[in-house]
């Protein structure tokens, strides 16, 4: 699918812009400060509900204005869909698909998946595993439709376990079965997704650098243990960490 139309109002330096897009490729050009990157932010906003340059969406609002709006129309077959996002000062971001409010901003990605390659992409390799997990999870999200729910429940269970370790350590193990079940499922989905990328990755690596490079998936606990066993083995260390 692709985006056929894009409009943005009061986004950074853009007072108002309306663009019809080509279904395969589009090129933006102009002098520095003319709003090229801001238009890319508008595209990203429609697919993710946020910017790729800042976590504070209010910073996107044009100076002196109360809100910004972005609108897009996809060419998804057989039914075209419209997307709308509004960011207001002092209020949550509001997003709609086909005129109906979304449950979460993640719903936007199911209609208009978008990824950005920017000057900070090298951090995927240079920095810690958190960025690489986010990258893998984005890939899995578009293959396994139940992944978002599993990931949300896992994150919730982890948050509850950590809270228990801070205040009532003896209750923390009660969250281990849920954490282990969901964590192992998420790990296998990540592993399978990476395996599917291997042939494409290898072909691209040969073309770019002439080397046979392999992606390797490393789970977050010992392969000799189940996640349940790893949680039990690390319980005392985890408890001391939150003391």
């Amino acid at each position: 699918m692709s985006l056929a139309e894009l409009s943005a109002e009061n986004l950074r330096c853009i007072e108002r812009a309306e663009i019809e897009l080509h279904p395969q490729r589009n090129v933006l050009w102009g002098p520095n400060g003319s709003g090229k990157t801001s238009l890319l932010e508008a595209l990203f906003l429609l697919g993710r509900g946020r910017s790729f340059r800042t976590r504070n969406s209010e910073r996107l609002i044009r100076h002196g204005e109360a809100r910004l709006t972005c609108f897009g129309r996809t060419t998804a077959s057989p039914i075209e869909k419209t997307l709308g996002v509004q960011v207001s000062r002092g209020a949550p971001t509001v997003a709609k698909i086909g005129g109906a409010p979304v449950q979460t901003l993640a719903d936007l990605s199911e209609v208009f998946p978008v990824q950005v390659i920017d000057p900070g992409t090298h951090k995927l390799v240079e920095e810690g595993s958190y960025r690489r997990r986010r990258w893998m999870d984005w890939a899995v999200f578009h293959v396994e439709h139940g992944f978002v729910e599993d990931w949300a429940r896992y994150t919730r269970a982890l948050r509850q376990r950590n809270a228990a370790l801070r205040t009532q350590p003896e209750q923390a193990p009660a969250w281990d079965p849920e954490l282990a079940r969901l964590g192992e499922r998420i790990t296998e989905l990540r592993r399978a997704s990476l395996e599917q990328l291997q042939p494409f990755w290898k072909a691209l690596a040969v073309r770019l650098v002439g080397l046979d490079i392999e992606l390797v998936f490393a789970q977050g606990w010992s392969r000799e243990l189940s996640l349940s066993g790893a949680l039990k083995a690390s319980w005392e260390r985890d408890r001391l960490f939150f003391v």
Side-chain angles (χ1 to χ4, degrees):
M1 79 178 57
S2 60
L3 203 65
E5 296 178 5
L6 169 69
S7 66
E9 186 173 345
N10 295 328
L11 193 155
R12 294 200 186 269
C13 66
I14 299 174
E15 182 176 0
R16 183 169 181 81
E18 296 182 358
I19 303 175
E20 292 186 6
L21 299 167
H22 189 275
Q24 295 181 336
R25 62 180 62 86
N26 295 271
V27 179
L28 302 175
W29 74 92
N32 290 341
S34 61
K36 299 186 299 297
T37 304
S38 297
L39 284 174
L40 296 181
E41 283 186 283
L43 288 166
F44 199 83
L45 192 65
L46 285 176
R48 301 283 192 96
R50 60 178 176 82
S51 167
F52 59 86
R53 298 171 69 190
T54 176
R55 291 187 176 275
N56 184 355
S57 295
E58 289 189 24
R59 293 182 180 177
L60 304 178
I61 303 174
R62 190 166 179 257
H63 180 69
E65 300 294 338
R67 65 185 60 82
L68 71 83
T69 57
C70 287
F71 173 85
R73 178 175 60 85
T74 71
T75 58
S77 178
I79 301 175
E80 296 180 348
K81 291 191 176 182
T82 59
L83 300 165
V85 176
Q86 178 175 283
V87 180
S88 303
R89 298 190 190 278
T93 298
V94 177
K96 294 183 179 181
I97 299 174
V102 300
Q103 295 295 318
T104 69
L105 294 179
D107 293 343
L108 294 169
S109 296
E110 295 187 12
V111 177
F112 181 51
V114 59
Q115 182 61 278
V116 64
I117 299 175
D118 64 358
T121 302
H122 64 89
K123 295 178 182 178
L124 186 67
V125 176
E126 294 181 356
E127 294 189 356
S129 58
Y130 171 72
R131 285 181 178 272
R132 291 186 285 278
R133 285 198 300 270
R134 285 180 58 191
W135 179 82
M136 281 193 296
D137 289 347
W138 176 245
V140 178
F141 168 75
H142 291 289
V143 178
E144 297 289 342
H145 297 297
F147 177 77
V148 171
E149 182 178 351
D150 287 341
W151 183 89
R153 292 175 64 184
Y154 173 85
T155 302
R156 188 162 51 247
L158 179 61
R159 191 180 300 118
Q160 293 292 338
R161 184 178 189 266
N162 289 344
L165 285 168
R166 292 188 186 95
T167 59
Q168 298 175 303
E170 68 281 358
Q171 295 187 11
W175 293 98
D176 287 1
E178 178 81 347
L179 203 63
R181 180 181 66 83
L182 294 170
E184 289 184 347
R185 172 168 169 75
I186 288 170
T187 295
E188 288 309 309
L189 290 174
R190 288 170 174 169
R191 192 193 314 276
S193 178
L194 202 63
E195 285 298 321
Q196 291 177 356
L197 287 175
Q198 285 286 9
F200 305 100
W201 163 262
K202 288 188 174 184
L204 186 60
V206 170
R207 288 176 58 190
L208 291 176
V209 296
L211 298 175
D212 184 13
I213 302 175
E214 184 177 1
L215 286 173
V216 177
F217 179 85
Q219 64 184 37
W221 69 93
S222 172
R223 297 180 67 89
E224 298 177 358
L225 295 173
S226 64
L227 181 51
S228 178
L231 288 170
K232 291 178 181 178
S234 67
W235 185 87
E236 184 64 24
R237 183 188 62 192
D238 294 344
R239 185 184 66 83
L240 293 174
F241 178 83
F242 287 98
V243 171

